[in-house]
Amino acid sequence: MSLSETLLSAKSLGVTYGAKRRLFGPADGGNKVLHGVDIDIRRGETVGIVGESGSGKTTLGRALLRLVDVSAGAIHFDGRDITHMPDAEMRPLRRRMQMIFQDPMASLNPRHTIRRILVEPLLLHGLETDRQAAERRVAMILERVTLPQTCLDRNPHELSGGQRQRIGIARAALLEPDFVLADEIVSGLDVSTQAQVLNLLKELSRDLGLSMAFISHDLSVIRAICDRVYVMRHGRVVEEGDCDRVFAAPASGYTRMLLDAIPLPEIDPTWLGRETEQEDAA
Ligand SMILES: Nc1ncnc2c1ncn2[C@@H]1O[C@H](COP(=O)(O)OP(=O)(O)O)[C@@H](O)[C@H]1O
Ligand SMILES: [Mg+2]
């Protein structure tokens, strides 16, 4: 596996919400929210997407997964053009492109036990055909995300926010994806829980060789976990580069403004590494 190989990319991507389709000519009207976005996500790489609320981050992430209609440009996944791929053809690719949501309460069925939430997708996607084998796999991933097995008999609302987010991560990782989209997944958590969840995700993505797009409005979170970053404003990419470079010497005035807006104590880029070292030493 070569790190320079592109797994998922978009070229000149445009998304317009609510446009009227016309038989001939371009779609009519609507709210144009992405304008000619280029993005490349390489194998094994974690790419950050940052920008203020409303800048188009979620739309970009969802367009990459083909969850919103693309009105211009092209998307390639693993060498294939998926821009207008029919649903039936997309289905086997869906398992390989997973998403972790901002609010796990909204994405985990409140009436189901954690066991059911984790076991069913394995059977549904045919990764396991036998329920007991699926349960064994679930028990292993639970350990991997450091949750007690007693969680299995609970419902989502009986867990803490951090625990629920670990379930969201476990559910995505179980399906052995190539690509994971994480959209504001630590926004609702306190800073120390954020660090734990980010640490876990960083380890998992390294161990599984995952490619990740990590969306956040918070540059200090991006810095803690990403290799490269795209800065978005008004539906356009205004800056792209290695995190180290972008944070040390932002080229865009907008990036500089975002950096200036971070409260200073939170921008210590070593906090994540420090915590890992302590765990290793323990
Ligand atoms: N389903 C939708 N229908 C219409 N407009 C939308 C929809 N989702 C988002 N928008 C608009 O698109 C723009 C970008 O939103 P979004 O992608 O959610 O940005 P971000 O994730 O950066 O906050 C905003 O102006 C938002 O109001
Ligand atoms: Mg968003």
Side-chain angles (χ1 to χ4, degrees), residues 109 111-121 131 152:
N109 189 324
R111 288 187 306 271
H112 289 183
T113 60
I114 300 301
R115 173 179 284 104
R116 183 165 174 193
I117 286 168
L118 294 178
V119 166
E120 275 184 355
R131 180 167 287 271
L152 288 173

Side-chain angles (χ1 to χ4, degrees), residues 12-19 27-38 49-64 67-72 231-238:
S12 309
L13 190 68
V15 169
T16 301
Y17 285 114
D28 206 16
N31 181 17
K32 198 167 179 190
V33 299
L34 285 191
H35 312 264
V37 170
D38 292 331
I49 302 172
V50 74
E52 288 169 298
S53 173
S55 56
K57 306 180 296 294
T58 295
T59 302
L60 172 58
R62 294 178 67 85
L64 286 172
L67 297 173
V68 298
D69 284 339
V70 169
S71 48
V231 182
M232 293 193 63
R233 185 186 197 192
H234 301 328
R236 290 188 167 81
V237 172
V238 296

Side-chain angles (χ1 to χ4, degrees), residues 57-59 102 183-184 215:
K57 306 180 296 294
T58 295
T59 302
Q102 172 166 13
D183 191 349
E184 302 278 8
I215 294 176

Side-chain angles (χ1 to χ4, degrees), residues 208-223:
L208 304 175
L210 285 179
S211 304
M212 218 165 23
F214 194 94
I215 294 176
S216 179
H217 66 280
D218 184 342
L219 272 166
S220 52
V221 167
I222 294 278
R223 186 172 211 184

Side-chain angles (χ1 to χ4, degrees), residues 118-154:
L118 294 178
V119 166
E120 275 184 355
L122 281 174
L123 301 171
L124 203 69
H125 287 278
L127 284 174
E128 296 289 358
T129 46
D130 172 279
R131 180 167 287 271
Q132 277 181 342
E135 294 209 5
R136 276 197 298 276
R137 211 198 272 226
V138 164
M140 280 191 306
I141 195 82
L142 217 58
E143 208 164 295
R144 188 70 188 73
V145 300
T146 62
L147 286 176
Q149 302 292 324
T150 49
C151 279
L152 288 173
D153 297 307
R154 305 251 156 82

